[in-house]
Amino acid sequence: MSLAMLNDTHATGVAQWLSDAGIPFRENFSLARISQIKAGGTPRLFVQPQNMSLLCRFLAYLKQHSIGWIVIGNLSNLLIRSGELNTIVISLKEFRDIDFMDGYVCVGAGVLLPVLAREMETKGYAGFSGLYGVPGSIGGGIFMNASCYGNAVSDYLIDVTFLTEDGDIRVLKRDELSFSWRKSAFHDRFRRCIIVEARFSLIKNEMAVDKLKLTDAHVNRSLYQESAFPNLGSLFATRNIYGEIASHFPVYRALLLCIRIVLHLMPGDRHANFARLATSMTRWYFDIRDTDKVGLSGKTINCVINKGGAEADEIVGFVRNLQGKLQNCVPLEIEIIDRIE
Ligand SMILES: Cc1cc2nc3c(=O)[nH]c(=O)nc-3n(C[C@H](O)[C@H](O)[C@H](O)COP(=O)(O)OP(=O)(O)OC[C@H]3O[C@@H](n4cnc5c(N)ncnc54)[C@H](O)[C@@H]3O)c2cc1C
């Protein structure tokens, strides 16, 4: 299906329709203001429906007029190109209800994972504390099957309610959504669908293990993860970036082995020392140079940072260049949308 360009006439028509329907929207709203890496284009229309029936109506309207759209969560894994965007951007930030019921909790797609983790922990329920430091929404978290410190979004999931592109409502159980590491059926089978809410089982956390995790999650993150500069978390989809690169480059592998041997002789925190040495060696080996505005974290090469004022296109360029130097040996975890109208 070819989608209509959102020219001035279209934009005015859609804006009028949204006003009549009572759906909040903003014109020429820079995504850099809300994205976690502080970069992203400027959609002519940024729409925030408040509930499912309004969202259904809006999708039906867009389909009827063949107008293109994308859905975003908290923009913590997504980099959208710079400049004006004719594609409508839909945010579910207003879907923020958390309803505790008998044996389960129903959570809107716009609820942030740290908010849910804190709420579950406070009420003594298991399974979410590890997700405290993941700055995504429930919608984005389910899409990515976000996980951290032994808790994955899908662990206690009962089912997900979502809308198809045609605005039909569907509810599928966890086992029907093909969850695996950082993946779900929303990557392929249900790619153009919008997650609106999810239900999770409530399991009492009798051992209070999660409470410990919440504290650990906080401490560990500040030690080993980038916190000084805006970023998108892990750049590449791997649990072991250095090991992954080493498996493709024999000389690099030998250098990494030398670092591991040297580590035994060094005083101090072995993890931090390894990160520092492996990062420096990797930068040197592949001749990776920061620009004035974009670079890699000092704590890991698996994190691209906005050093200040970088546009999305500059960050995309940096990432593409890095991928080239690594000969595309590791897939990206972040999602780049640079080919939209
Ligand atoms: C500092 C930092 C630390 C991080 N640490 C972790 C970590 O430990 N573990 C981890 O797994 N991730 C981590 N991430 C990555 C990120 O937070 C997760 O991938 C998160 O799940 C993305 O959610 P989001 O709401 O920000 O989605 P976005 O980045 O906005 O979107 C991601 C994808 O989800 C889709 N999407 C979003 N909402 C919906 C919806 N309602 N319906 C359908 N599709 C939707 C978007 O279209 C897009 O394709 C980290 C990111 C940062 C910035």
Side-chain angles (χ1 to χ4, degrees):
M1 180 182 64
S2 77
L3 297 173
M5 290 272 288
L6 198 63
N7 58 27
D8 287 341
T9 320
H10 271 112
T12 312
V14 180
Q16 187 59 54
W17 186 91
L18 288 165
S19 299
D20 294 345
I23 300 176
F25 65 96
R26 302 177 79 152
E27 292 177 77
N28 303 316
F29 177 75
S30 168
L31 296 177
R33 291 172 59 182
I34 52 170
S35 96
Q36 300 304 304
I37 197 162
K38 302 280 175 264
T42 304
R44 295 174 76 134
L45 288 174
F46 176 74
V47 185
Q48 292 184 291
Q50 313 91 310
N51 57 50
M52 195 150 69
S53 82
L54 288 174
L55 179 58
C56 282
R57 277 181 62 196
F58 186 43
L59 288 184
Y61 173 86
L62 294 176
K63 188 175 164 81
Q64 189 191 347
H65 294 84
S66 304
I67 295 171
W69 56 268
I70 56 166
V71 62
I72 61 164
N74 202 34
L75 288 179
S76 64
N77 200 55
L78 193 53
L79 189 53
I80 301 177
R81 74 155 171 82
S82 311
E84 184 175 79
L85 305 172
N86 289 316
T87 303
I88 289 179
V89 175
I90 301 175
S91 158
L92 267 62
K93 209 172 169 51
E94 294 303 319
F95 287 60
R96 50 182 169 204
D97 288 342
I98 305 181
D99 294 320
F100 284 89
M101 316 297 269
D102 191 14
Y104 68 90
V105 59
C106 189
V107 188
V111 171
L112 295 181
L113 291 167
V115 171
L116 183 64
R118 172 71 65 193
E119 189 86 355
M120 296 291 265
E121 201 269 331
T122 307
K123 289 193 156 52
Y125 294 118
F128 288 83
S129 299
L131 296 165
Y132 175 71
V134 182
S137 64
I138 288 294
I142 289 173
F143 181 94
M144 287 300 292
N145 192 18
S147 63
C148 195
Y149 296 115
N151 292 145
V153 169
S154 58
D155 284 351
Y156 289 76
L157 185 66
I158 300 172
D159 53 30
V160 177
T161 303
F162 60 94
L163 300 180
T164 66
E165 221 173 342
D166 298 333
D168 296 332
I169 302 172
R170 291 194 67 179
V171 182
L172 285 186
K173 290 194 179 13
R174 177 200 130 117
D175 291 349
E176 298 171 291
L177 291 168
S178 317
F179 287 106
S180 59
W181 193 71
R182 301 288 196 271
K183 271 212 151 159
S184 72
F186 294 101
H187 282 245
D188 34 53
R189 223 166 2 124
F190 303 118
R191 177 74 209 181
R192 294 286 298 160
C193 294
I194 301 187
I195 298 158
V196 287
E197 65 182 30
R199 294 193 307 153
F200 298 93
S201 301
L202 293 176
I203 309 292
K204 269 288 175 193
N205 182 24
E206 307 295 353
M207 305 294 286
V209 177
D210 275 21
K211 190 162 189 160
L212 285 176
K213 268 196 192 159
L214 197 67
T215 318
D216 288 351
H218 202 60
V219 173
N220 287 344
R221 282 196 164 258
S222 57
L223 280 179
Y224 305 125
Q225 294 197 2
E226 178 58 47
S227 52
F229 293 100
N231 66 84
L232 292 172
S234 296
L235 175 58
F236 296 105
T238 170
R239 293 182 173 99
N240 176 5
I241 183 68
Y242 305 105
E244 190 87 43
I245 297 172
S247 68
H248 290 84
F249 297 90
V251 177
Y252 179 93
R253 184 160 62 240
L255 292 171
L256 202 62
L257 184 64
C258 293
I259 287 180
R260 291 195 190 283
I261 294 168
V262 168
L263 273 183
H264 287 281
L265 309 171
M266 285 176 76
D269 180 339
R270 192 170 291 179
H271 191 295
N273 286 340
F274 174 77
R276 212 175 49 248
L277 292 176
T279 302
S280 305
M281 187 275 282
T282 310
R283 279 173 177 274
W284 168 79
Y285 187 88
F286 292 101
D287 189 24
I288 301 166
R289 292 166 201 227
D290 287 7
T291 69
D292 287 348
K293 295 180 182 170
V294 189
L296 293 177
S297 165
K299 293 182 177 176
T300 168
I301 69 141
N302 197 10
C303 181
V304 65
I305 57 172
N306 186 343
K307 299 201 289 186
E311 297 269 339
D313 286 356
E314 289 174 82
I315 303 175
V316 172
F318 182 88
V319 171
R320 298 284 190 226
N321 184 35
L322 178 61
Q323 281 182 287
K325 290 190 172 189
L326 298 179
Q327 296 176 13
N328 293 304
C329 69
V330 204
L332 283 184
E333 176 161 325
I334 66 161
E335 186 180 335
I336 293 176
I337 302 186
D338 53 355
R339 294 201 182 148
I340 52 167
E341 290 295 336

PDB file of all heavy atoms in Angstrom, residues 127-140:
ATOM      1  N   GLY A 127       9.422 -10.508  40.602  1.00  0.00           N
ATOM      2  CA  GLY A 127       9.647 -10.621  39.163  1.00  0.00           C
ATOM      3  C   GLY A 127       9.943  -9.368  38.385  1.00  0.00           C
ATOM      4  O   GLY A 127      10.194  -9.438  37.179  1.00  0.00           O
ATOM      5  N   PHE A 128       9.989  -8.214  39.020  1.00  0.00           N
ATOM      6  CA  PHE A 128      10.158  -6.985  38.242  1.00  0.00           C
ATOM      7  C   PHE A 128      11.331  -6.109  38.684  1.00  0.00           C
ATOM      8  O   PHE A 128      11.707  -5.186  37.967  1.00  0.00           O
ATOM      9  CB  PHE A 128       8.868  -6.146  38.280  1.00  0.00           C
ATOM     10  CG  PHE A 128       7.769  -6.750  37.467  1.00  0.00           C
ATOM     11  CD1 PHE A 128       6.979  -7.749  37.998  1.00  0.00           C
ATOM     12  CD2 PHE A 128       7.567  -6.363  36.149  1.00  0.00           C
ATOM     13  CE1 PHE A 128       5.990  -8.350  37.235  1.00  0.00           C
ATOM     14  CE2 PHE A 128       6.587  -6.957  35.391  1.00  0.00           C
ATOM     15  CZ  PHE A 128       5.790  -7.950  35.930  1.00  0.00           C
ATOM     16  N   SER A 129      11.894  -6.404  39.845  1.00  0.00           N
ATOM     17  CA  SER A 129      12.878  -5.474  40.401  1.00  0.00           C
ATOM     18  C   SER A 129      14.097  -5.279  39.504  1.00  0.00           C
ATOM     19  O   SER A 129      14.663  -4.192  39.453  1.00  0.00           O
ATOM     20  CB  SER A 129      13.329  -5.947  41.775  1.00  0.00           C
ATOM     21  OG  SER A 129      12.202  -5.985  42.613  1.00  0.00           O
ATOM     22  N   GLY A 130      14.506  -6.353  38.810  1.00  0.00           N
ATOM     23  CA  GLY A 130      15.668  -6.239  37.928  1.00  0.00           C
ATOM     24  C   GLY A 130      15.442  -5.217  36.820  1.00  0.00           C
ATOM     25  O   GLY A 130      16.391  -4.682  36.247  1.00  0.00           O
ATOM     26  N   LEU A 131      14.169  -4.957  36.534  1.00  0.00           N
ATOM     27  CA  LEU A 131      13.844  -4.053  35.419  1.00  0.00           C
ATOM     28  C   LEU A 131      13.820  -2.590  35.857  1.00  0.00           C
ATOM     29  O   LEU A 131      13.526  -1.706  35.053  1.00  0.00           O
ATOM     30  CB  LEU A 131      12.472  -4.427  34.832  1.00  0.00           C
ATOM     31  CG  LEU A 131      12.413  -5.818  34.197  1.00  0.00           C
ATOM     32  CD1 LEU A 131      10.967  -6.243  33.975  1.00  0.00           C
ATOM     33  CD2 LEU A 131      13.180  -5.832  32.879  1.00  0.00           C
ATOM     34  N   TYR A 132      14.151  -2.351  37.100  1.00  0.00           N
ATOM     35  CA  TYR A 132      14.072  -1.011  37.653  1.00  0.00           C
ATOM     36  C   TYR A 132      14.885   0.010  36.836  1.00  0.00           C
ATOM     37  O   TYR A 132      14.478   1.150  36.644  1.00  0.00           O
ATOM     38  CB  TYR A 132      14.558  -1.042  39.107  1.00  0.00           C
ATOM     39  CG  TYR A 132      14.637   0.314  39.730  1.00  0.00           C
ATOM     40  CD1 TYR A 132      13.484   1.020  40.043  1.00  0.00           C
ATOM     41  CD2 TYR A 132      15.874   0.910  39.987  1.00  0.00           C
ATOM     42  CE1 TYR A 132      13.557   2.279  40.604  1.00  0.00           C
ATOM     43  CE2 TYR A 132      15.954   2.161  40.552  1.00  0.00           C
ATOM     44  CZ  TYR A 132      14.794   2.842  40.849  1.00  0.00           C
ATOM     45  OH  TYR A 132      14.872   4.095  41.395  1.00  0.00           O
ATOM     46  N   GLY A 133      16.028  -0.433  36.337  1.00  0.00           N
ATOM     47  CA  GLY A 133      16.904   0.516  35.629  1.00  0.00           C
ATOM     48  C   GLY A 133      16.692   0.559  34.132  1.00  0.00           C
ATOM     49  O   GLY A 133      17.473   1.190  33.415  1.00  0.00           O
ATOM     50  N   VAL A 134      15.670  -0.118  33.630  1.00  0.00           N
ATOM     51  CA  VAL A 134      15.436  -0.114  32.175  1.00  0.00           C
ATOM     52  C   VAL A 134      14.424   1.009  31.862  1.00  0.00           C
ATOM     53  O   VAL A 134      13.256   0.903  32.232  1.00  0.00           O
ATOM     54  CB  VAL A 134      14.875  -1.475  31.692  1.00  0.00           C
ATOM     55  CG1 VAL A 134      14.693  -1.469  30.184  1.00  0.00           C
ATOM     56  CG2 VAL A 134      15.790  -2.621  32.119  1.00  0.00           C
ATOM     57  N   PRO A 135      14.870   2.060  31.173  1.00  0.00           N
ATOM     58  CA  PRO A 135      14.010   3.245  31.058  1.00  0.00           C
ATOM     59  C   PRO A 135      12.964   3.172  29.954  1.00  0.00           C
ATOM     60  O   PRO A 135      12.615   4.191  29.356  1.00  0.00           O
ATOM     61  CB  PRO A 135      15.026   4.366  30.785  1.00  0.00           C
ATOM     62  CG  PRO A 135      16.136   3.683  30.074  1.00  0.00           C
ATOM     63  CD  PRO A 135      16.198   2.282  30.583  1.00  0.00           C
ATOM     64  N   GLY A 136      12.468   1.965  29.665  1.00  0.00           N
ATOM     65  CA  GLY A 136      11.473   1.813  28.605  1.00  0.00           C
ATOM     66  C   GLY A 136      10.057   1.795  29.153  1.00  0.00           C
ATOM     67  O   GLY A 136       9.835   1.817  30.368  1.00  0.00           O
ATOM     68  N   SER A 137       9.101   1.746  28.228  1.00  0.00           N
ATOM     69  CA  SER A 137       7.691   1.624  28.605  1.00  0.00           C
ATOM     70  C   SER A 137       7.303   0.148  28.548  1.00  0.00           C
ATOM     71  O   SER A 137       8.057  -0.680  28.015  1.00  0.00           O
ATOM     72  CB  SER A 137       6.837   2.409  27.606  1.00  0.00           C
ATOM     73  OG  SER A 137       6.972   1.822  26.318  1.00  0.00           O
ATOM     74  N   ILE A 138       6.100  -0.164  29.041  1.00  0.00           N
ATOM     75  CA  ILE A 138       5.610  -1.545  28.955  1.00  0.00           C
ATOM     76  C   ILE A 138       5.496  -1.954  27.474  1.00  0.00           C
ATOM     77  O   ILE A 138       5.901  -3.061  27.097  1.00  0.00           O
ATOM     78  CB  ILE A 138       4.240  -1.672  29.662  1.00  0.00           C
ATOM     79  CG1 ILE A 138       4.436  -1.586  31.175  1.00  0.00           C
ATOM     80  CG2 ILE A 138       3.533  -2.966  29.300  1.00  0.00           C
ATOM     81  CD1 ILE A 138       5.207  -2.748  31.774  1.00  0.00           C
ATOM     82  N   GLY A 139       4.973  -1.062  26.630  1.00  0.00           N
ATOM     83  CA  GLY A 139       4.840  -1.383  25.201  1.00  0.00           C
ATOM     84  C   GLY A 139       6.188  -1.719  24.578  1.00  0.00           C
ATOM     85  O   GLY A 139       6.367  -2.764  23.946  1.00  0.00           O
ATOM     86  N   GLY A 140       7.168  -0.823  24.769  1.00  0.00           N
ATOM     87  CA  GLY A 140       8.516  -1.053  24.225  1.00  0.00           C
ATOM     88  C   GLY A 140       9.178  -2.240  24.890  1.00  0.00           C
ATOM     89  O   GLY A 140       9.935  -2.991  24.261  1.00  0.00           O
TER      90      GLY A 140
END
